[in-house]
Amino acid sequence: MHTRKTGRLVLAALATMGTLGLAQAQPDPAAKYQGAASAVDPASATVHRTPGAPDLTDAEFTQAKEIFFQRCAGCHGVLRKGATGKPLTPDITQKRGSEYLKTFITYGSPLGMPNWGTSGELTPEQIDLMVKYIQHTPPVPPEWGMAEMKNSWKVLVKPEDRPKKQMNNLNLGNLFSVTLRDDGKIALIDGDSKRIVKTISTGYAVHISRMSASGRYLLVIGRDAKIDMIDLWMKEPATVAEIKVGIEARSVETSKYKGYEDKYVIAGSYWPPQYVIMDGETLKPEEIISTRGMTVDTQEYHPEPRVAAIIASHQHPEFIINVKETGWVQLFNYKDIHNPSITSIGAAPFLHDGGWDSTHRYFITAANNSNKIAVIDSKDRKLEALIEVGKTPHPGRGANFIHPKFGPVWATSHLGDETISLIGTDPKKHPKNAWKVVQTLKGQGGGSLFVKTHPKSTHLYADSTFNPDPKISSTIAAFDINHLDKGYTVLPIIEWAGIKDGSLRVVQPEFNAAGDEVWFSVWNMKDKESAIVVVDDHTLKLKKVIKDPRLITPTGKFNVNNTQHDIY
């Protein structure tokens, strides 16, 4: 029951939320998608007690560790020192007190802290447990080095035993890899027939799928840091190699520079804070690089600078790596992986996700809690610009299109406000517009995770997955690129899906290879029906609803052709 006392607590908490990071915690990109669950093994951390914190039995402490690592660590950090969310260390949490903490966990905040209680995600008993737990000193998980990686590494089908050509009749360019988040699988969906080809068991809560340069190998990484390499040429696509590169992770990529196609795979971990270079056909781990070090702004040591986005350079034989908390972008040259040349470029703290401009020269990436976009010139290996944008930018890979007035632009939406920032990206033909916010669009509301368009499309799509208003989180804003001043058209995605039971959200527009369809995930609870809604990009009308009992908690979708060639 929402009593007057509870209401006063909520108002008081919101009024002072700047003093406690919990209130300002932004999803990474949201608490139930990228940032919520952490795959750190709860049993791997040492149980201990902290003076000044409420008592917990060993069993309670162990249970609370599991909830925190699964739900909270992605935003607040394994060591609770803050990341996309603010710090939750005992000096802060004990000062605020149990009633204050309970209010925040229960009701959340307008700036992105999930409403764990009122949404039903956590029971009142679990909330009470978490209130006590976060007042204790955080347990530290173990490291994960070469011995652990090699022990987890398996080659299920040797390269010499794999087919020499494609052995199936699939249109691989229009195949989609779809994350079945809470089922520990991906679904391969034929973009032509709209049917599931196969579901494949993977790590927990796959974060991204990436294609090898050749378009043969699909790499998926779970938040438990397990990588699966899937050979799409086999008569029935299947996993041919796997490895666990850490305890918690988000990113994987393959080498794309000419002459190095499919040669190397790189994966970055949230814990331990490091990245590893692997053989591109077997995933054999070759070299591990730690990211622990000083922050780019205050030059203070950070023990947990996690690896966020990784992207393969087209200008040099390099991987471009976002080191989240320290704000450094590293360019790892893989000409000689055992004696690597690493170029470090200072950007801004809390680097997260991003993608290429249309020329594949400039890497444009969000420093989300700094409210900045960093532009890295991958050819000249330097910081090109730091651009102020809206509250907590979260572009995914962003969206490139030709603005009728300002020329080539790249777009990002925001978790923290309703705006969409359009940034000029052509320093040669449009130098006055380059690396500036040339226009700010008003979307439906905050809580956006992804914007998307396609070179053959005249529409820009933005989701609002974590907006607290169900009318907004269940729909999509579609902008006409040639008439941006007219505002957006609302697409009633969940209404089209015809699902009424559950906690429904729409997430991540993704185009097919031809650029004439855009797919949206209708993401429901694990025990409820979910769907994928396909929209005709030309007419903005419903084209197809994909439903299947195997389609459990679909979130990210990755078209093979667009992912392989960095089209977005």
Side-chain angles (χ1 to χ4, degrees), residues 31 74 89 102 112 115 120 186 230 245 250 271 273 312 315 326-327 352 374 376 399 406 486:
T89 47
K102 181 177 180 180
N115 54 328
I186 62 160
I230 298 164
V245 297
R250 295 292 190 279
W271 188 271
Q315 306 294 328
T326 57
H352 189 60
I376 303 297
F406 301 110
K486 291 185 177 181

Side-chain angles (χ1 to χ4, degrees), residues 51 62 68 70 108 132 157 181 190 222 310 345-346 370 377 382 389 424 439 458 461 463 497 500-501 545:
T62 299
F68 183 84
Q70 293 294 324
K132 297 176 182 178
V157 181
R181 183 191 179 278
D190 178 14
I310 301 176
I345 301 172
S370 296
D377 183 342
K382 67 177 184 176
V389 290
Q439 186 174 1
T458 59
Y461 299 90
D463 65 22
K500 297 181 180 180
D501 186 24
V545 177

